[in-house]
Amino acid sequence: MRAKEKSGRSRPEDLGPPNGFAMLPWLLMGMGSFSNLLQGKTANPWIGGVGLFAFNSLYIAVVFRAFDKKAREARATKHLLLALAAVTFALAIGYGGSWLMFFPLLGLATGAVLRGKQLVPAGFALSISAAVVGGLREGWDAAGIAYGTFLSVMVTAAILALSETVKELRATREELARSAVEKERLRFSRDLHDLLGHTLSVVVVKAEATRRLAPRDLDAALGQVADIESVGRQALTEIREAVTGYREGSLATDLDRARDLLDAAGIEAVVRQSGPPLAPQTGALLGWVVRESATNVVRHSRATRCEIEVTGTAERTRLLITDDGRGVGSAKPGSGLKGLAERLAAAGGSLESGPAPRGGFRVTAELPVNEFSTGPGPGPVVEERTP
């Protein structure tokens, strides 16, 4: 109990009546017949005592099985319920009076066991039978027995069905919560992969450039060191923003950084951009593609030239990245470009990658224009830049 209070969470199986103990207090309705036995007001008391014991035993067995779906739907439970009905009718017909109160108890057991299409016909049949038997034994004084029996069947079934529905909904909600957590973990791992993979590649390339330049051009080497410091600080900022889930990528920034990375690696970079200003979400997604692709070009392609082209229309934005290398993309299936393809697909776009027809490697990304998220911009952008 203390552990559950500390966690502040309830398990689905803790909701609703946990077992048949919730149905046992209703057996007090049969105290009138038990009192008659003790006072000697019942004919053939031994038969009445055996009948009372049989009824209580069958009732307890039925209601405890009713709270387990597999046991409730078993054929043995239906047989026990029929036996309980037989004992109820025998006692009610044989003794009448307070023994008629066993009909509402039979209604409770019936409502606890039956579901679906069987419930309403069984409830009406049991209520009519109680009315007939009560009328024959006690006349109009027993009219309330039929009404009480019908209410026992329907109310019990409704409450237990509602309890089971609440348990199923809670289980579903917890499953959805677990799924959401897993999706967020996957998103976060992809962000870290894209952020750190690109940034560390920049650091490694610029560190190699610093090592080559230091012996002959100290000023140029110090410039590369300053770039490494700048990249490191920017990476720290981006990681903090990614952790909080509020990172908004800038395509222009990612294009500049990709150009710097390619230049530092000795790869000629050509960047072309045209079309209307992009929505922040579109720019962020395409920025991830630029980062990953530029990193792959430096790591795997052995290219001497890389072209990055962004074109946009009123309906779609297209990013094309090609190099003249050996036609090799990401070296880790399941991350990198594959993860980005899943992201773009979730946003209604697409990403294709593979060897280019004339050699090298090509990455093509397309996204629809979200007109509701675009803000005012400076108008169409047309830019072309080479080192």
Side-chain angles (χ1 to χ4, degrees), residues 167-185:
K167 291 165 67 176
E168 292 175 359
L169 289 175
R170 175 61 65 85
T172 301
R173 187 175 70 178
E174 293 193 355
E175 181 62 30
L176 289 175
R178 285 192 293 269
S179 176
V181 169
E182 292 300 324
K183 290 177 67 177
E184 182 62 18
R185 286 175 178 171

Side-chain angles (χ1 to χ4, degrees), residues 4-351:
K4 186 165 65 174
E5 290 176 355
K6 289 181 180 179
S7 65
R9 299 177 63 186
S10 298
R11 296 174 300 173
E13 58 267 24
D14 294 330
L15 300 175
N19 50 48
F21 285 107
M23 306 288 288
L24 295 186
W26 295 103
L27 285 174
L28 295 175
M29 294 172 63
M31 287 299 294
S33 57
F34 182 71
S35 176
N36 289 340
L37 281 175
L38 292 180
Q39 296 175 10
K41 297 179 180 180
T42 302
N44 301 316
W46 287 106
I47 296 177
V50 172
L52 183 61
F53 177 78
F55 179 90
N56 289 337
S57 300
L58 290 169
Y59 176 88
I60 292 172
V62 169
V63 297
F64 270 87
R65 294 174 67 88
F67 287 88
D68 181 86
K69 184 177 181 180
K70 185 176 180 180
R72 183 177 67 239
E73 296 176 352
R75 183 174 298 179
T77 304
K78 302 298 192 299
H79 292 165
L80 290 172
L81 185 62
L82 290 176
L84 180 64
V87 173
T88 301
F89 276 93
L91 294 175
I93 293 173
Y95 293 108
S98 59
W99 297 81
L100 294 174
M101 295 301 297
F102 288 137
F103 275 114
L105 287 173
L106 176 60
L108 290 173
T110 302
V113 171
L114 298 184
R115 296 287 189 276
K117 298 180 180 179
Q118 299 176 336
L119 180 63
V120 175
F124 275 110
L126 184 57
S127 302
I128 294 172
S129 300
V132 172
V133 174
L136 292 176
R137 293 292 307 185
E138 304 296 332
W140 288 104
D141 293 338
I145 295 296
Y147 181 68
T149 301
F150 183 76
L151 283 182
S152 297
V153 175
M154 297 304 172
V155 173
T156 302
I159 292 176
L160 296 185
L162 179 61
S163 173
E164 293 171 357
T165 300
V166 170
K167 291 165 67 176
E168 292 175 359
L169 289 175
R170 175 61 65 85
T172 301
R173 187 175 70 178
E174 293 193 355
E175 181 62 30
L176 289 175
R178 285 192 293 269
S179 176
V181 169
E182 292 300 324
K183 290 177 67 177
E184 182 62 18
R185 286 175 178 171
L186 179 60
R187 183 199 68 80
F188 185 66
S189 66
R190 288 172 176 170
D191 284 356
L192 287 182
H193 171 271
D194 294 338
L195 282 170
L196 295 180
H198 175 80
T199 301
L200 292 178
S201 296
V202 173
V203 170
V204 169
V205 170
K206 288 188 173 292
E208 291 176 348
T210 302
R211 177 174 53 80
R212 292 194 304 266
L213 292 172
R216 62 177 186 272
D217 192 342
L218 184 58
D219 290 337
L222 291 176
Q224 294 294 330
V225 172
D227 289 344
I228 293 175
E229 180 183 1
S230 176
V231 169
R233 292 183 184 277
Q234 181 65 25
L236 288 174
T237 300
E238 291 176 344
I239 290 174
R240 292 190 188 103
E241 292 174 347
V243 168
T244 57
Y246 294 111
R247 182 178 189 273
E248 293 186 359
S250 168
L251 179 58
T253 301
D254 289 325
L255 288 173
D256 288 339
R257 295 183 65 182
R259 184 187 296 115
D260 291 341
L261 172 63
L262 294 169
D263 290 345
I267 301 174
E268 181 186 1
V270 179
V271 177
R272 303 185 186 93
Q273 186 175 4
S274 63
L278 302 180
Q281 296 88 340
T282 302
L285 284 173
L286 295 181
W288 287 117
V289 179
V290 171
R291 284 169 169 264
E292 179 66 22
S293 299
T295 302
N296 287 339
V297 171
V298 173
R299 285 180 176 176
H300 313 298
S301 69
R302 298 180 184 175
T304 60
R305 178 183 174 88
C306 177
E307 296 185 7
I308 303 175
E309 182 178 7
V310 182
T311 57
T313 65
E315 291 79 23
R316 298 186 71 82
T317 301
R318 184 171 183 264
L319 169 66
L320 178 64
I321 302 174
T322 57
D323 63 64
D324 60 354
R326 54 179 183 164
V328 179
S330 177
K332 293 186 177 180
S335 60
L337 292 177
K338 183 177 180 181
L340 289 172
E342 295 173 357
R343 288 191 184 190
L344 267 66
S350 63
L351 187 144

